[in-house]
Amino acid sequence: TIIDIARNKEDGSISTNILSLVCSRIFVEFSKSNDKFISKSLVESFIKGDPFEKFYNEATQGFSNKEKKYLEQNLVDSSGRRNSISEYDFFKFIKRGKSLLSGNSKILQSISTSSNNNHNRIELIHDSFCRTIIRQKEHRKRKNIIRIAYIIILSIIFPLLVSVVYENINTTTYIKISEASIH
């Protein structure tokens, strides 16, 4: 089960990055439990909880929305496959990008596109992160649509509310003036 999650669907190879990530995360979950050993049910519940989404969120915690948007727009292509971006552009837009290339937050890897290693590109460490990135991108789009809808609604309702309040003030003032002139 653990090896299957680290297996590349295209060629059947096993990503050591993903295998290491999954094993370390399962161990963290195991450490939180009172179990004496890592059971198949613990592994299955870990996998059902979409470990890639949780890990992506933890790895990008503290990154700005602009940086996350850049990652989401550039690391996965329109077909939903891993995409690489130039290392130069990556570090230009993602100031703390090194944290995503090593250690506990490693979700990216640097690949060389030339024999002298001066043309490096950045990509996700595994295709399994593509689905997570796509969901994050869709979630961000939905939030933006809701935000725009609120702005439109408020831009319509606020002037109407001001108009009603203004009319109410004028009517109240007119009534008070009329009552004063009667007395």
Side-chain angles (χ1 to χ4, degrees):
T1 302
I2 294 170
I3 289 175
D4 283 345
I5 199 170
R7 189 177 310 278
N8 186 325
K9 290 173 181 49
E10 291 176 4
D11 63 7
S13 64
I14 296 173
S15 167
T16 55
N17 289 330
I18 292 296
L19 188 58
S20 174
L21 165 67
V22 170
C23 287
S24 68
R25 304 307 270 182
I26 287 174
F27 184 75
V28 167
E29 293 299 315
F30 165 71
S31 298
K32 293 177 186 175
S33 73
N34 292 328
D35 297 338
K36 295 188 186 324
F37 58 90
I38 297 175
S39 66
K40 185 174 182 178
S41 64
L42 176 79
V43 171
E44 288 172 346
S45 69
F46 173 78
I47 291 170
K48 285 179 187 173
D50 195 352
F52 298 106
E53 185 155 355
K54 184 176 181 182
F55 188 68
Y56 174 80
N57 288 333
E58 289 173 5
T60 58
Q61 185 176 3
F63 282 70
S64 71
N65 284 335
K66 186 177 180 181
E67 289 172 315
K68 289 178 186 178
K69 186 176 179 181
Y70 177 82
L71 293 172
E72 293 160 10
Q73 290 178 334
N74 291 285
L75 292 176
V76 178
D77 68 15
S78 60
S79 303
R81 298 175 54 91
R82 256 191 303 184
N83 190 33
S84 66
I85 52 180
S86 84
E87 192 173 79
Y88 174 79
D89 287 342
F90 174 76
F91 286 114
K92 188 168 101 178
F93 290 101
I94 311 294
K95 301 299 180 204
R96 295 179 301 132
K98 283 190 178 193
S99 69
L100 299 176
L101 290 162
S102 63
N104 292 334
S105 296
K106 183 176 180 160
I107 61 170
L108 304 176
Q109 62 189 356
S110 179
I111 55 173
S112 178
T113 58
S114 68
S115 58
N116 59 4
N117 289 337
N118 65 352
H119 293 293
N120 289 341
R121 297 190 65 78
I122 304 291
E123 70 176 8
L124 292 165
I125 61 172
H126 196 268
D127 290 332
S128 299
F129 281 103
C130 291
R131 191 176 73 224
T132 295
I133 300 259
I134 290 168
R135 277 198 306 265
Q136 292 291 325
K137 187 176 181 178
E138 289 170 353
H139 178 70
R140 190 174 306 283
K141 280 183 182 179
R142 279 192 303 275
K143 281 175 64 174
N144 282 339
I145 288 170
I146 291 169
R147 191 175 302 128
I148 290 169
Y150 280 135
I151 290 169
I152 290 171
I153 289 169
L154 288 175
S155 66
I156 293 170
I157 291 176
F158 185 73
L160 287 174
L161 185 60
V162 168
S163 175
V164 167
V165 168
Y166 180 75
E167 187 63 36
N168 192 17
I169 290 170
N170 280 345
T171 303
T172 304
T173 304
Y174 176 75
I175 291 171
K176 287 183 180 179
I177 292 172
S178 296
E179 288 175 353
S181 62
I182 294 174
H183 297 296

